[in-house]
């Protein structure tokens, strides 16, 4: 802990299930009662999952009188990815209690609660949480990466609006084929070669945006939602895919990628139209996607399709000594 940090008159203890309405309010002080109760339930579920799967997970609260005035959590696992020595923290302080070192005090407690050396602390913030970003900078965190999420209302999505684009590309000799309908014996090898080719250009910061981590044919992929583009000479030059996290989970967009020699012709847009048509036919009403902040081409494709881009997520890292270690998936 910073030796100059003034210790505020608030008692720090581990969070209990009954704290979550207060924790939800700290994270979003302007939310209405219904939003707050949904947020509390979601956070409790997420933390319970973390507690069951991530031995390093801890959440603390700071209490003054009967009110929660701050909360912070630490976790080693982010979306199934564990990086030795890197931990992720979140911290929320009641506006009336800011500027007294309470957030730093909680993070200091958490850092001491996890075993082994902490080499890096990471934090992810939405760009509209500017005061928190300034505070992180004061605490020695540097912004390292930007990513964006986006969502599309599939009920309003009209694939026929892109019929002209598809017709132009087909007239030029391209074909768009659902992967299960391809019968070439080497189709899997060709698909994986194309994926390795496009993986090189993905703008990523592990594990915020996974690069080369999820296979297009792993357990999350939806066969009918994987559409490939074949060039006039029969080469496989593009793909768009859909994923489902868990058997009952929502359908989301998977990897979209086009071979470097065929970019800028509308292929990614056309491929994604075909996969979104499948998502719509499967009954999805909204669908999410995302990417690295500097991936302007992918962002443009999504905007052309009507996706609404959400406020950016900023990733901050604070070096606590040592270097980043190898990435392991599926912790
Ligand atoms: C992103 C990618 C799939 C786009 O493929 P594509 O076939 O070139 O895409 P399209 O031709 O349909 O559309 C690209 C759009 O981005 C625009 N664009 C390209 N580079 C751009 C840039 N640097 N800044 C802004 N816009 C850009 C193009 O002008 C075009 O928009 P327009 O149709 O309005 O002119 C391709 O670059 C790729 O495979 N990248 C690597 C894999 C990847 O990053 N996938 C996404 C993972 S989140």
């Amino acid at each position: 802990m910073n030796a100059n940090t003034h210790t505020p008159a608030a008692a720090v203890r581990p969070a209990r299930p009954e704290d979550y309405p207060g924790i939800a309010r700290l994270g979003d002080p302007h939310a209405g009662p219904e939003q707050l109760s949904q947020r509390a339930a979601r956070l409790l579920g997420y933390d319970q999952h973390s507690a069951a799967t991530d031995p390093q997970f801890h959440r603390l609260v700071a209490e003054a009188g009967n009110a929660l005035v701050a909360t912070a959590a630490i976790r080693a696992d982010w979306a199934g990815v564990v990086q030795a020595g890197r931990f992720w923290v979140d911290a929320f302080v009641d506006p009336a209690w800011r500027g007294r070192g309470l957030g730093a005090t909680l993070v200091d407690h958490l850092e001491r609660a996890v075993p082994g050396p902490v080499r890096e602390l990471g934090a992810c913030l939405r760009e509209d949480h500017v005061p928190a970003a300034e505070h992180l900078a004061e605490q020695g965190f540097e912004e390292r990466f930007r990513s964006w999420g986006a969502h599309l209302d599939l009920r309003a999505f009209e694939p026929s609006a892109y019929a002209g684009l598809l017709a132009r590309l087909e007239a030029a000799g391209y074909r768009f084929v659902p992967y299960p309908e391809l019968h070439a014996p080497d189709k899997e090898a060709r698909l994986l070669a194309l994926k390795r080719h496009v993986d090189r250009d993905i703008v990523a910061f592990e594990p915020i945006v996974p690069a080369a981590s999820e296979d297009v044919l792993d357990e999350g992929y939806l066969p009918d939602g994987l559409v490939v583009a074949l060039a006039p000479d029969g080469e496989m030059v593009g793909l768009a895919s859909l994923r489902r996290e868990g058997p009952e989970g929502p359908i989301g967009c998977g990897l979209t990628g086009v071979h470097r020699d065929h970019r800028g012709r509308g292929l990614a847009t056309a491929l994604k139209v075909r996969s979104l048509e499948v998502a719509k036919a499967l009954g999805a009403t909204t669908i999410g996607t995302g990417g690295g902040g500097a991936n302007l081409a992918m962002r443009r494709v999504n905007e052309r399709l009507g996706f609404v881009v959400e406020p950016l997520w900023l990733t901050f890292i604070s070096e606590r000594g040592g270097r980043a270690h190898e990435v392991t998936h599926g912790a």
Side-chain angles (χ1 to χ4, degrees), residues 12-16 19-20 23 43 46-61 70-77 87-91 106-116 118 121:
V12 176
R13 60 166 174 80
R16 306 182 194 122
D19 293 328
Y20 279 78
I23 292 172
L43 275 173
Y46 181 46
D47 279 5
Q48 283 174 334
H49 174 76
S50 295
T53 54
D54 178 359
Q56 323 282 20
F57 170 77
H58 297 275
R59 179 174 293 283
L60 296 175
V61 292
T71 182
I74 193 164
R75 56 191 94 230
D77 185 330
F87 292 83
W88 296 93
V89 288
D90 66 58
L106 289 181
V107 170
D108 180 61
H109 274 80
L110 290 168
E111 247 184 293
R112 282 190 279 116
V114 294
V118 177
L121 276 186

Side-chain angles (χ1 to χ4, degrees), residues 8-316:
V12 176
R13 60 166 174 80
R16 306 182 194 122
E18 60 272 24
D19 293 328
Y20 279 78
I23 292 172
R25 186 185 53 77
L26 287 167
D28 194 353
H30 306 298
E34 195 182 331
Q35 268 177 301
L36 271 185
S37 85
Q38 284 172 4
R39 189 180 160 95
R42 210 171 50 241
L43 275 173
L44 178 60
Y46 181 46
D47 279 5
Q48 283 174 334
H49 174 76
S50 295
T53 54
D54 178 359
Q56 323 282 20
F57 170 77
H58 297 275
R59 179 174 293 283
L60 296 175
V61 292
E63 207 170 22
N66 287 330
L68 293 190
V69 295
T71 182
I74 193 164
R75 56 191 94 230
D77 185 330
W78 183 298
V81 180
V82 174
Q83 294 163 300
R86 180 184 282 169
F87 292 83
W88 296 93
V89 288
D90 66 58
F92 296 98
V93 179
D94 185 306
W97 282 74
R98 288 188 189 149
R100 307 188 201 186
L102 191 47
T105 302
L106 289 181
V107 170
D108 180 61
H109 274 80
L110 290 168
E111 247 184 293
R112 282 190 279 116
V114 294
V118 177
R119 294 186 170 83
E120 290 183 357
L121 276 186
C124 246
L125 273 190
R126 254 173 58 158
E127 63 179 337
D128 44 351
H129 289 178
V130 176
E134 284 167 1
H135 183 67
L136 279 175
E138 282 163 21
Q139 299 296 318
F141 282 79
E142 277 176 16
E143 189 189 315
R144 290 282 177 84
F145 191 68
R146 294 180 166 216
S147 57
W148 45 269
H151 61 271
L152 175 70
D153 181 353
L154 280 171
R155 289 163 300 192
F157 173 69
E158 201 32 83
S160 61
Y162 304 88
L165 170 67
L166 275 115
R168 267 197 310 282
L169 289 166
E170 280 165 356
Y174 288 102
R175 286 192 298 136
F176 302 95
V177 187
Y179 181 74
E181 288 176 22
L182 275 183
H183 297 297
D186 59 348
K187 69 175 189 174
E188 187 170 328
R190 287 164 62 192
L191 179 73
L192 296 180
L194 173 63
K195 180 178 159 11
R196 275 195 297 278
H197 173 88
V198 299
D199 274 347
R200 292 185 297 179
D201 295 330
I202 292 180
V203 180
F205 182 88
E206 292 276 8
I208 308 301
V209 175
S213 58
E214 44 183 1
D215 204 291
V216 274
L217 297 177
D218 72 6
E219 68 281 357
Y221 107 102
L222 288 182
D224 294 336
L226 175 56
V227 183
V228 297
L230 302 179
D233 63 0
E235 263 320 296
M236 201 186 284
V237 293
L239 69 107
S241 59
L242 298 178
R243 300 182 61 77
R244 196 195 280 279
E245 301 312 330
E248 303 301 323
I251 296 176
C253 295
L255 176 66
T256 302
V258 170
H259 192 284
R260 284 179 183 173
D261 296 347
H262 296 262
R263 290 183 189 159
R265 300 172 196 190
L267 282 175
T269 309
L271 280 159
K272 214 158 167 174
V273 168
R274 295 293 303 271
S275 72
L276 291 171
E277 250 177 319
V278 174
K280 196 170 160 121
L282 288 171
T285 52
T286 59
I287 191 161
T289 193
N295 198 338
L296 297 177
M298 198 61 229
R299 196 170 150 150
R300 172 76 191 126
V301 167
N302 286 312
E303 283 170 344
R304 256 182 100 177
L305 294 168
F307 278 85
V308 177
V309 178
E310 297 153 7
L312 287 174
W313 285 93
L314 313 181
T315 304
F316 289 83

